[in-house]
Amino acid sequence: VQTHPPWAPAPLPRGRGAAAGRGQRWRRGVGRRRRAARSSVPIPHTARTQHGPALRPPTRTAPEEEEEEEGAGPPPWPRSRLSPLGLGAEDEGGGSPEGSGTGQGRDRTGRGCHPQRCPPPAGAIRGQAARCGHPLLRAEPSDRLGQPASPGEQDAADRQELETGQEVRQLHREFLRAGSNVLQTFTFYASEDKLENRGNYVAEKITCQKVNEAACDIAKEVATEGDALVAGGVSQTPSYLSCKDKAEVKAVFRKQLEVFMKKNVDFLIAEYFEHVEEAVWAVEVLKESGKPVAATMCIGPEGDMHGVPPGQCAVQLVKAGASIVGVNCHFDAETCLQTVKLMKEGLQAAKLKAHLMSQPLAFHTPDCGKQGFIDLPEFPFALEPRIVSRWDVQKYARKAYDLGIRYIGGCCGFEPYHIRAIAEELAPERGFLPEASEKHGSWGNSLSMHTKPWVRARARKEYWENLKPASGRPYCPSMSKPDGWGVTKGAKELMQQKEATTEQQLKELFQKQKF
């Protein structure tokens, strides 16, 4: 969420009465898969601020409602196939229980990635959603129920997804309807070195260029449905972790930048960096475009993995040319806001100015170590008990705004209803509500229609704002002990390779791991 910077056009308000879309009805036997993707809600000015006069978003006509045939089978449901990490910044996303998104249901096959060729990497719960080794979202193709696709079918499906991308479009639309005014291209970890790292075959069979081009085309197409901005993003690289020199690492960023320039995205984001040195290199490359650049690091109050404090990280990024600085991923909202506050103080001490940005996890992580949630034993496939509620997100949005942050969004774990919570909390500042709020009562006021009187009594802000939710897990601890192996750039375990991880390499890691 950014308090509209001078270089960005005012976003249009979401139309009321817009179509809820296919799959909104609940069908017996058809559950709703959760996806989550990073999204952000830039806030236009409604009053005069230090950045300029008040802006008032114009009205627009809502799209025609798409009718759904009775008795039709369940619509295809996108399986998250984002870039190979795990919204960081980059997640398995889906509509909210109230249908804040537009397409609920299951995918045609009910299955996802090939279990051997696409092991979901770290950060796999965010829509930014559950991440696997593929750069795009799609369902696994197969005409044989219960059997994985053959390599030939898999390759054909990859090519088809690049050409159609319906599932990816749907994911973008859900966040657009929820209130996002920035759609970020699904290019997280889509650098060439990552797409050929540890057995990943995407760079060879699809190519880095095609993946990034398709991501830009899809984001730009959906953005026009709501006049949202499109941001092209790059992230940290295996090349840097493997101690490649500055020129080699910059060359990796430059390949993605060439696509972003060709597709003419609105601005650029360098995100998810554990080392400020590499983040600075990324900003320097992106500034070659002449477009505005935002830079976020996945660090906490302790600073980057080399010990550089958050304030100094912010100073270096702004001096490199970043117009917006902040943090994303690895930590929860409370920790991220602490870190951004330190960045703000560092900039003030250096007499530098920049917009502030925050995209935290949708998980509670008070027990994280320096490297964040990837050190938690639950990462990435048992993080659900830590998920934040929509009310947690509303509190986060208000605290972020009060801190002076004007680019407010979310990373791993964030679903459309979380982004909607940001938009609803900041509706007074933005001047309008998102389309997805049409059928969603503020602070639970729709519970006034409930049949049970004790549930009707919960139809108020005070109840949900002060609730301390129980986990329902009496034998589970409230905190975990992070693994914290203490490895960073240059460590043997972080040296990357094109070949798939061997059995011997895995055995060595298994022996080191403690339960």
Side-chain angles (χ1 to χ4, degrees):
V1 171
Q2 66 191 15
T3 318
H4 229 58
W7 46 263
L12 298 181
R14 305 291 166 255
R16 306 294 293 176
R22 289 185 174 273
Q24 186 133 341
R25 303 174 194 170
W26 187 273
R27 295 183 178 84
R28 185 175 182 181
V30 180
R32 296 180 180 180
R33 292 192 59 82
R34 293 301 179 94
R35 296 160 307 161
R38 288 205 321 268
S39 256
S40 303
V41 188
I43 303 177
H45 290 291
T46 55
R48 190 172 187 84
T49 71
Q50 59 177 336
H51 301 297
L55 298 177
R56 200 70 179 175
T59 58
R60 75 174 177 87
T61 304
E64 293 184 6
E65 180 167 354
E66 183 181 15
E67 296 185 0
E68 179 182 16
E69 294 183 21
E70 279 296 342
W77 183 247
R79 297 301 296 267
S80 214
R81 301 304 293 257
L82 300 183
S83 339
L85 165 137
L87 202 345
E90 318 264 319
D91 338 314
E92 187 161 332
S96 76
E98 291 85 355
S100 63
T102 58
Q104 282 99 13
R106 290 190 185 278
D107 60 72
R108 291 185 178 90
T109 63
R111 288 172 287 108
C113 307
H114 193 290
Q116 295 178 334
R117 300 178 67 183
C118 302
I125 305 282
R126 156 173 80 92
Q128 280 99 16
R131 290 218 170 94
C132 73
H134 273 206
L136 296 176
L137 295 147
R138 69 166 176 69
E140 178 183 333
S142 176
D143 292 329
R144 303 174 298 280
L145 187 61
Q147 298 181 27
S150 68
E153 290 176 317
Q154 190 79 31
D155 296 342
D158 290 336
R159 289 191 294 272
Q160 181 182 17
E161 176 59 29
L162 284 172
E163 295 172 0
T164 61
Q166 292 305 318
E167 291 85 353
V168 185
R169 287 180 177 82
Q170 184 61 33
L171 185 56
H172 275 307
R173 286 191 181 103
E174 293 192 9
F175 283 90
L176 184 65
R177 291 190 70 251
S180 295
N181 289 127
V182 170
L183 297 184
Q184 191 168 333
T185 58
F186 289 155
T187 52
F188 177 86
Y189 263 179
S191 60
E192 186 170 55
D193 59 346
K194 183 61 180 179
L195 297 180
E196 63 181 11
N197 190 54
R198 293 196 176 276
N200 195 331
Y201 65 91
V202 174
E204 177 185 355
K205 296 192 176 182
I206 299 178
T207 77
C208 170
Q209 180 179 341
K210 288 183 178 179
V211 166
N212 284 270
E213 286 181 347
C216 290
D217 289 340
I218 292 170
K220 285 175 69 69
E221 176 187 331
V222 178
T224 60
E225 299 174 10
D227 296 299
L229 299 175
V230 173
V234 301
S235 48
Q236 66 180 5
T237 64
S239 294
Y240 181 83
L241 292 179
S242 299
C243 302
K244 298 291 181 64
D245 62 30
K246 181 177 181 179
E248 290 178 285
V249 175
K250 280 192 167 186
V252 173
F253 295 134
R254 202 164 280 116
K255 284 187 177 181
Q256 286 186 271
L257 177 60
E258 289 173 357
V259 175
F260 299 147
M261 290 299 293
K262 176 183 177 182
K263 297 299 181 178
N264 194 29
V265 298
D266 295 302
F267 68 104
L268 301 162
I269 300 178
E271 66 172 353
Y272 195 79
F273 286 89
E274 296 175 306
H275 306 85
V276 70
E277 180 182 49
E278 185 184 16
V280 166
W281 295 352
V283 171
E284 290 173 347
V285 170
L286 297 184
K287 284 299 292 181
E288 296 172 5
S289 68
K291 294 179 179 291
V293 175
T296 56
M297 300 189 65
C298 49
I299 62 174
E302 296 181 58
D304 82 347
M305 294 305 293
H306 285 159
V308 181
Q312 187 56 41
C313 287
V315 168
Q316 291 187 37
L317 292 172
V318 172
K319 287 184 176 180
S323 303
I324 309 171
V325 295
V327 295
N328 79 295
C329 202
H330 275 206
F331 297 92
D332 59 21
E334 287 295 325
T335 306
C336 283
L337 292 182
Q338 293 175 30
T339 307
V340 176
K341 182 180 179 182
L342 294 173
M343 287 184 160
K344 180 180 180 179
E345 293 171 353
L347 293 174
Q348 290 173 338
K351 294 181 170 37
L352 295 173
K353 292 184 179 180
H355 297 286
L356 301 177
M357 180 173 178
S358 174
Q359 290 182 306
L361 300 172
F363 307 108
H364 292 289
T365 62
D367 42 351
C368 276
K370 183 176 181 178
Q371 196 155 268
F373 80 142
I374 61 176
D375 287 348
L376 294 176
E378 299 93 341
F379 177 86
F381 298 129
L383 288 166
E384 288 86 346
R386 294 173 175 265
I387 197 75
V388 299
S389 71
R390 67 201 66 200
W391 319 123
D392 293 326
V393 174
Q394 290 206 209
K395 293 176 185 177
Y396 148 66
R398 180 53 56 189
K399 288 181 180 179
Y401 191 86
D402 291 345
L403 183 60
I405 301 173
R406 293 298 180 267
Y407 197 124
I408 303 174
C411 199
C412 302
F414 264 75
E415 299 188 10
Y417 73 92
H418 289 124
I419 294 300
R420 182 184 61 196
I422 297 176
E424 290 180 344
E425 176 63 29
L426 298 176
E429 288 77 13
R430 302 178 80 207
F432 59 92
L433 287 168
E435 291 179 13
S437 294
E438 179 186 358
K439 298 181 180 180
H440 177 249
S442 177
W443 287 100
N445 63 19
S446 59
L447 293 177
S448 60
M449 298 185 294
H450 204 279
T451 56
K452 302 297 188 291
W454 57 89
V455 178
R456 291 198 297 273
R458 300 170 186 167
R460 54 198 173 105
K461 178 179 179 179
E462 292 76 17
Y463 178 86
W464 297 109
E465 194 172 38
N466 296 297
L467 181 68
K468 299 292 188 294
S471 68
R473 295 172 176 265
Y475 300 107
C476 292
S478 59
M479 302 282 191
S480 294
K481 183 178 179 181
D483 287 331
W485 287 10
V487 298
T488 186
K489 176 189 176 185
K492 175 184 175 182
E493 294 89 343
L494 282 184
M495 298 302 288
Q496 303 301 304
Q497 61 191 44
K498 289 186 178 181
E499 300 77 17
T501 304
T502 66
E503 289 294 328
Q504 181 57 38
Q505 289 174 326
L506 286 175
K507 287 180 180 179
E508 293 175 2
L509 296 177
F510 295 159
Q511 292 173 357
K512 187 174 181 178
Q513 186 179 49
K514 297 179 181 179
F515 289 96

